[in-house]
């Protein structure tokens, strides 16, 4: 007998027929004699609708009430799935975040899980009952409902798998695994049998939405065996695991993209010690993430500094630059129509020339690179958004990733 956490995403629970289909998949696991906890997302589109309601009430709203609103989507599906399981003769009940409890910090809207007490749930599961958990939510200090950031049900599932000491965490979604790049954009993308925690972490944080970044961090930390698979087919999925479990390591295992970027250029900044600190200090104080940075060579004692921020934070970043930054500059330029494209692979550690292949492939398609950044296992470039698909396809071919 194994203890398994299954997670079903928004498309998988998109309507009543699909929730009934999920109930059958859960039953199959129960029939194999396993203890099962199931985490569900809201029906696809519901969270967006709830977010939109909050914005319509007030563009700048109380984050605690936003959480109270957006957490409801998952409560609906957890109750419905419990009913579906009961209809199949399985003893099941729903659990909201606060009932378990899943304790989080108070960063409403993007709260972090601090602890999970799995005791009550384990006691039920040992009686053969299925626990159906509303994903994406927890309970914050002050007894307030919290949510874990968009895509957060993945993190609920992995955190729960760690807390319950589950043998496996199966993430069921609308594609049948992790691919070399988004299979909806590049048709020749290949499914990976296995991917390392490290690569998956980079892919997720660089834009591959198939797993929330924090869920991968959590899996890596607690050695949770995560499998990504389809709720619509029985195809074998992708296992996220330690590097030593992978025999054949590819040089580049994936290409990710993120449209969540905006570029800011400060033109005519003085080229002197302390300037970078003077620019980025106020942004850090305002809790605005700065990702890629480039500073031009100084010509006449002045220079241009370009950086990227999340697109959603651009207006706030500009306000900080104008109101709180003390560094003088001549003018400011912004661009929202940019995309960050990244190639990722642990093989890069031991091989030269990976970045050059990227630059050449983009040059051959006449795609201009605005900013470059690298780390041990990835190279990222910022380019104009209109070239996203062209760049992804060109890079996929250049690294020999196209499916035969
Ligand atoms: P769920 O609702 O099940 O959580 P998501 O929409 O969050 O599903 O994530 C699945 C989607 O991730 C896929 O439909 C696919 O378009 C996208 N995706 C992006 N990059 C990749 C990748 N490298 N491999 C697989 N899917 C990817
Ligand atoms: N329903 C939430 C969202 O759309 C959480 C999730 O699906 O994982 O972001
Ligand atoms: Mg998701």
């Amino acid at each position: 007998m194994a203890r398994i956490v299954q997670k079903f995403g928004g498309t998988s629970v998109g309507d009543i027929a699909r929730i009934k289909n999920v109930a059958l998949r859960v039953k199959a696991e129960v029939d194999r004699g396993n203890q099962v906890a199931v985490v569900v997302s809201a029906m696809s589109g519901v969270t967006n609708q709830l977010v939109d309601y909050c914005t319509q009430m007030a563009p700048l709203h109380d984050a605690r009430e936003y959480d109270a609103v957006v957490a409801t989507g998952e409560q609906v599906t957890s109750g419905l799935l419990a009913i579906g399981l009961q209809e199949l003769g399985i003893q099941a009940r729903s659990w909201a975040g606060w009932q378990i409890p899943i304790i989080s910090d108070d960063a409403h809207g993007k709260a972090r899980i601090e602890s999970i007490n799995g005791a009550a749930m384990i006691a039920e599961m040992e009686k053969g009952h299925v626990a159906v958990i509303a994903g994406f939510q927890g309970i914050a200090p002050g007894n307030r409902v919290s949510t874990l950031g968009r895509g957060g049900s993945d993190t609920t599932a992995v955190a729960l798998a760690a807390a319950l000491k589950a043998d496996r965490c199966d993430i069921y979604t609308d594609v049948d695994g992790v691919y070399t790049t988004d299979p909806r954009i590049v048709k020749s993308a290949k499914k990976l049998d296995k991917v390392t925690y490290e690569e998956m972490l980079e892919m997720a944080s660089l834009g591959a939405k198939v797993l929330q970044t924090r869920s991968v961090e959590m899996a890596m930390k607690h050695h949770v065996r995560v499998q990504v698979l389809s709720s619509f087919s029985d195809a074998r999925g992708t296992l996220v695991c330690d590097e030593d479990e992978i025999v054949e390591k590819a040089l580049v295992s994936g290409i990710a993209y993120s449209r969540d970027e905006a570029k800011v250029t400060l033109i005519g900044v003085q080229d002197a010690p302390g300037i970078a600190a003077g620019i980025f200090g106020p942004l850090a104080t305002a809790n605005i993430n700065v990702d890629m940075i480039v500073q031009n060579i100084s010509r006449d004692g002045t220079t241009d500094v370009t950086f990227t921020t999340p697109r959603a934070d651009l207006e706030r970043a500009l306000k900080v630059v104008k109101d709180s930054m003390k560094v003088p500059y001549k003018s400011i330029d912004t661009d929202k129509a940019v995309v960050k494209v990244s190639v990722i692979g642990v093989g890069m550690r031991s091989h030269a020339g990976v970045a050059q292949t990227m630059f050449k492939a983009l040059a051959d398609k006449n795609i201009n690179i605005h900013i470059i950044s690298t780390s041990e296992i990835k190279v990222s470039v910022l380019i104009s958004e209109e070239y996203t698909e062209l760049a992804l396809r060109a890079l996929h071919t250049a690294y020999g990733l196209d499916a035969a």
Side-chain angles (χ1 to χ4, degrees):
M1 185 207 68
R3 184 175 290 160
I4 292 163
V5 173
Q6 298 181 306
K7 179 256 169 178
F8 292 89
T11 317
S12 310
V13 294
D15 57 33
I16 295 297
R18 288 185 171 178
I19 297 175
K20 288 184 176 174
N21 171 54
V22 166
L24 290 171
R25 282 199 180 264
V26 176
K27 181 173 187 299
E29 212 59 86
V30 173
D31 289 347
R32 276 180 218 125
N34 294 325
Q35 287 183 7
V36 188
V38 195
V39 175
V40 286
S41 290
M43 290 177 171
S44 62
V46 166
T47 309
N48 284 347
Q49 176 72 74
L50 295 168
V51 171
D52 188 51
Y53 287 153
C54 293
T55 314
Q56 284 185 48
M57 279 315 278
L60 283 177
H61 39 255
D62 182 340
R64 292 161 301 188
E65 299 308 343
Y66 162 96
D67 278 351
V69 174
V70 300
T72 59
E74 272 69 12
Q75 249 160 268
V76 172
T77 43
S78 61
L80 290 173
L81 180 58
I83 295 174
L85 288 166
Q86 289 166 5
E87 283 300 294
L88 298 175
I90 293 170
Q91 300 222 47
R93 67 156 280 193
S94 63
W95 296 78
W98 63 270
Q99 291 171 317
I100 296 174
I102 295 180
I103 313 266
S104 80
D105 63 14
D106 63 357
H108 285 277
K110 48 174 190 291
R112 271 184 184 275
I113 296 177
E114 288 185 337
S115 65
I116 297 182
N117 184 346
M121 216 182 313
I122 290 177
E124 295 256 334
M125 286 166 71
E126 282 178 344
K127 285 189 253 161
H129 299 182
V130 170
V132 186
I133 298 97
F136 181 53
Q137 54 174 264
I139 176 110
N143 232 5
R144 308 295 296 254
V145 172
S146 58
T147 64
L148 310 176
R150 297 306 304 269
S153 298
D154 296 331
T155 302
T156 306
V158 175
L160 209 58
L164 300 175
K165 302 204 174 10
D167 298 281
R168 250 177 30 227
C169 181
D170 293 343
I171 307 278
Y172 286 89
T173 181
D174 55 5
V175 286
D176 58 8
V178 178
Y179 280 71
T180 45
T181 191
D182 190 340
R184 296 194 191 285
I185 295 209
V186 179
K187 293 291 167 230
S188 56
K190 262 191 306 206
K191 186 163 69 180
L192 301 166
D193 285 337
K194 292 181 178 175
V195 63
T196 67
Y197 289 118
E198 240 181 322
E199 287 167 321
M200 193 63 239
L201 188 59
E202 290 283 3
M203 280 170 73
S205 71
L206 295 167
K209 295 219 159 66
V210 61
L211 287 177
Q212 198 200 31
T213 307
R214 280 184 187 168
S215 74
V216 188
E217 276 169 10
M218 186 90 70
M220 194 165 167
K221 187 165 156 206
H222 298 284
H223 290 276
V224 178
R225 286 176 82 77
V226 173
Q227 218 180 165
V228 178
L229 58 182
S230 165
S231 53
F232 304 108
S233 83
D234 291 319
R236 230 177 79 193
T238 301
L239 180 70
V240 190
C241 60
D242 280 320
E243 198 172 330
D244 52 19
E245 281 191 55
I246 300 182
V247 187
E248 226 176 288
K249 293 184 186 73
L251 188 56
V252 165
S253 51
I255 304 173
Y257 69 97
S258 164
R259 296 183 201 267
D260 180 36
E261 314 289 322
K263 185 177 79 160
V264 180
T265 305
L266 297 176
I267 300 158
V269 180
Q270 198 197 353
D271 192 10
I275 293 297
I279 294 172
F280 297 113
L283 290 166
T285 307
N287 228 335
I288 293 169
N289 259 338
V290 170
D291 177 22
M292 308 171 99
I293 301 176
V294 56
Q295 180 178 335
N296 286 345
I297 298 168
S298 137
R299 281 159 302 196
D300 47 2
T302 69
T303 179
D304 300 342
V305 176
T306 301
F307 57 91
T308 61
T309 66
R311 212 176 277 184
D313 287 339
L314 178 62
E315 306 311 322
R316 277 203 312 131
L318 292 178
K319 195 165 159 36
V320 170
V321 167
K322 285 174 184 150
D323 297 352
S324 338
M325 203 186 75
K326 304 269 182 318
V327 175
Y329 57 89
K330 285 201 193 88
S331 59
I332 189 165
D333 217 31
T334 62
D335 190 355
K336 277 194 189 184
V338 289
V339 63
K340 181 171 66 176
V341 175
S342 312
V343 300
I344 298 130
V346 286
M348 268 182 223
R349 283 202 198 106
S350 46
H351 284 83
V354 174
Q356 178 51 24
T357 303
M358 182 179 207
F359 305 151
K360 172 138 194 335
L362 296 174
D364 287 347
K365 296 287 177 202
N366 232 343
I367 300 172
N368 190 33
I369 298 172
H370 303 240
I371 313 185
I372 301 167
S373 74
T374 64
S375 76
E376 206 188 12
I377 66 162
K378 70 119 208 278
V379 185
S380 301
V381 294
L382 194 77
I383 60 172
S384 293
E385 191 175 7
E386 61 186 302
Y387 299 124
T388 309
E389 298 186 8
L390 182 63
L392 286 178
R393 288 203 193 99
L395 293 170
H396 204 262
T397 305
Y399 288 107
L401 296 174
D402 291 337

